[in-house]
Amino acid sequence: MTTSYTKRSISTEAATRLLDGAEQGARDKGVPMVIAVVDESGLLKAFRRMDGAALLSVDLAIDKAYTDVSFGIPSHAWHDFIKDDPPLLHGIVKTPRLVVFGGGYPVMDDGVVIGGIGVSGGHYEQDMVVAQAGLAALESAS
């Protein structure tokens, strides 16, 4: 019987690189945003609220990142997953912290979820682009 296992988690350095890359992406779009990075357990690891970013975006960004690590899929993938399944469509969306639109992505390392990034502040399509800028900044540092 195994009594423990090892979990891999995002480093502070990687989380900071995600924040910096996403913030630059938001600046390029001219939209103030909130960027949240959570660890593999969904706990907040790093956070940035740009000047002028909407208050409601704080919880949305954190919850998008949480959604990503909960199932290891981007937040926007939930819509396609549930849209044609009435029990899920009407039931799971009442789950606290679940976000079913874009702006969140799991952060992977060798196929393992080590964290998640969530971005909020623009239209969800803008949030997705900004989150992807964060992921690209992390990949370019590897």
Side-chain angles (χ1 to χ4, degrees):
M1 174 176 78
T2 303
T3 58
S4 67
Y5 67 97
T6 302
K7 289 171 49 171
R8 292 170 45 194
S9 188
I10 191 166
S11 69
T12 302
E13 180 181 359
T16 301
R17 191 168 300 277
L18 284 165
L19 289 179
D20 292 343
E23 182 173 358
Q24 185 57 54
R27 288 187 190 290
D28 292 347
K29 291 215 155 297
V31 179
M33 297 202 173
V34 176
I35 306 141
V37 178
V38 299
D39 67 14
E40 81 295 340
S41 297
L43 298 174
L44 190 60
K45 179 81 174 195
F47 176 84
R48 190 166 299 160
R49 180 179 179 209
M50 296 173 65
D51 294 343
L55 182 57
L56 184 61
S57 293
V58 171
D59 287 339
L60 282 171
I62 294 168
D63 288 349
K64 286 179 185 184
Y66 178 85
T67 296
D68 305 328
V69 300
S70 296
F71 276 81
I73 62 174
S75 59
H76 67 272
W78 274 96
H79 181 261
D80 284 339
F81 186 68
I82 66 173
K83 70 180 181 181
D84 297 322
D85 189 333
L88 277 179
L89 179 62
H90 297 292
I92 198 138
V93 294
K94 292 178 174 62
T95 302
R97 303 192 68 188
L98 176 69
V99 177
V100 298
F101 49 87
Y105 291 89
V107 179
M108 310 291 285
D109 186 32
D110 292 329
V112 175
V113 176
I114 60 167
I117 182 171
V119 174
S120 182
H123 184 275
Y124 69 84
E125 290 176 345
Q126 293 172 310
D127 297 349
M128 292 169 70
V129 170
V130 169
Q132 291 168 352
L135 292 170
L138 182 60
E139 288 180 19
S140 70
S142 299

